[in-house]
């Protein structure tokens, strides 16, 4: 089997939601599997990129993305009724992902997708550990174990390590796909990624 | 006839080069024409976006785009042997474009494409008015008239007005396409733009 594609994302990104809806099927068409990997986008923005303001508050870029996001989500055929990104603190969900992933990556994907549905399509801001644990339970995990994990220092340390690992691979935006040493940033790169897999690069 | 698509670009952008190679044919498939429009990207970066460093010198983003640009240009099937973006001052070419465009938009497009070929495929940095005028002559314009224009205050003022006009429409990156009030940023949005034209929006 060829190396899995790495799919790096943070729950705050609607483009990550778009990408998540297609990446596994895309990879499967080329005999590949996908390793989903959450990371802390805001931490990368603050510590590596020096971006101190949310995208939606920037001049010109803010209005652009306010127009582009609903248009893109609809283009992907996905429902869109989002919660407020300014109210969303995804840390509990980002951290819980890794607990689930260690036990069962398929469960972790189902959980991640559920979190995205809640935030992007059900106007629900999944900040609270109790809600995160409930989504983990829907995906087949033990909610009490998730809550215990989120209370332990390892939850924070693990997400930090995974974020550092993503950065060490060159990741700086969400979503990013990695195939070997090739990075593809953005859900609008899915077609290029697919061509890359089909042709074995160029 | 429906309103022309506006195609905003600066010669410094390899993604603009990719976009320029396809936008007219894409538009024609949907009964549209394209108005090419140069603007001063570095001025927008400095005065509106507060981006004070060239993209290629940024941490993480620099290495990413160094990988992505040749990969994307090749994906578009275009030759790529670029000059140094740090040495490139596109002001003369950006300004000359508007002189040609007022006389003959098709000449202006041929000129713009020639400038892009020189910079992106022939490792030539088209900074000097004499070279810019020579490219204008290849496109069918009077090179002496171009040189006289570039010496007059209007050349600078016109590009400034066009850049302000682009910003007033919400443009902040190169390339950007505008269809009515819809902006599409990036050569990786050509497919979405084409779908938008085919369906009449969604």
């Amino acid at each position: 089997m060829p190396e899995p594609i790495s799919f790096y994302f943070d729950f705050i990104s609607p483009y990550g939601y778009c990408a998540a809806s297609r990446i596994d099927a895309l990879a499967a068409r080329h005999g590949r599997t996908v390793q989903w990997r959450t990371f802390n986008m805001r931490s990368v923005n603050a510590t590596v990129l020096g971006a101190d303001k949310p995208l939606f508050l920037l001049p010109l870029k803010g209005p652009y993305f306010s127009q582009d996001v609903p248009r893109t989500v609809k283009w992907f055929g996905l429902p869109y009724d989002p919660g407020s990104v300014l109210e969303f603190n995804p840390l509990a969900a980002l951290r819980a992902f890794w607990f689930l992933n260690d036990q069962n990556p398929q469960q972790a994907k189902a959980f991640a997708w559920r979190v995205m549905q809640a935030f992007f399509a059900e106007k629900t801001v999944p900040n609270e550990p109790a809600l995160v644990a409930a989504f983990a339970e829907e995906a087949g995990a033990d909610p009490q174990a998730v809550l215990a994990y989120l209370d332990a220092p390892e939850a924070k340390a693990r997400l930090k390590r995974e974020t550092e690992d993503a950065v060490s691979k060159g990741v700086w935006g969400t979503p990013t796909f990695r195939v070997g040493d090739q990075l593809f940033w953005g859900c609008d790169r899915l077609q290029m990624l697919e061509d890359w897999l089909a042709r074995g690069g160029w």
Side-chain angles (χ1 to χ4, degrees), chain A:
Chain A
M1 281 290 286
E3 189 193 356
I5 294 166
S6 293
F7 166 42
Y8 300 90
F9 65 99
D10 184 316
F11 293 116
I12 61 174
S13 169
Y15 300 116
Y17 168 52
C18 293
S21 74
R22 299 203 178 162
I23 185 59
D24 280 32
L26 186 159
R29 287 195 288 275
H30 303 281
R32 299 271 194 152
T33 57
V34 184
Q35 165 72 67
W36 292 26
R37 311 190 71 97
T38 57
F39 74 103
N40 186 340
M41 182 71 232
R42 285 174 179 157
S43 152
V44 174
N45 267 333
T47 64
V48 186
L49 300 178
D52 52 358
K53 267 194 179 175
L55 190 58
F56 287 89
L57 300 183
L58 297 178
L60 297 176
K61 290 192 182 186
Y64 174 75
F65 287 105
S66 296
Q67 177 183 75
D68 186 62
V69 164
R71 183 177 64 191
T72 300
V73 173
K74 204 167 171 187
W75 193 46
F76 273 77
L78 296 171
Y80 189 61
D81 186 14
S84 161
V85 73
L86 297 177
E87 289 170 20
F88 187 16
N89 179 346
L91 283 174
L94 293 170
R95 290 168 180 166
F97 174 87
W98 287 106
F99 178 76
L100 272 69
N101 190 70
D102 285 344
Q103 305 188 347
N104 181 334
Q106 285 308 119
Q107 260 183 18
K109 289 184 189 189
F111 163 76
W113 182 245
R114 183 69 191 86
V115 171
M116 289 187 237
Q117 283 187 298
F119 182 61
F120 292 109
E122 298 168 9
K123 218 181 176 67
T124 298
V125 180
N127 288 2
E128 295 306 320
L131 183 55
V132 167
F135 289 154
E137 185 174 18
E138 283 184 42
D142 172 3
Q144 294 308 318
V146 170
L147 287 170
Y149 175 80
L150 289 174
D151 264 345
E154 169 59 10
K156 183 177 178 178
R158 174 69 181 274
L159 179 64
K160 190 163 179 290
R161 284 202 307 279
E162 294 291 349
T163 300
E164 288 165 354
D165 181 69
V167 166
S168 78
K169 299 286 198 300
V171 172
W172 55 272
T174 169
T176 295
F177 312 99
R178 184 172 63 78
V179 181
D181 68 351
Q182 297 287 314
L183 298 176
F184 299 84
W185 167 60
C187 67
D188 42 17
R189 287 301 171 83
L190 285 167
Q191 187 57 58
M192 183 193 274
L193 170 63
E194 179 139 32
D195 287 357
W196 186 269
L197 296 172
R199 301 189 208 167
W202 55 77

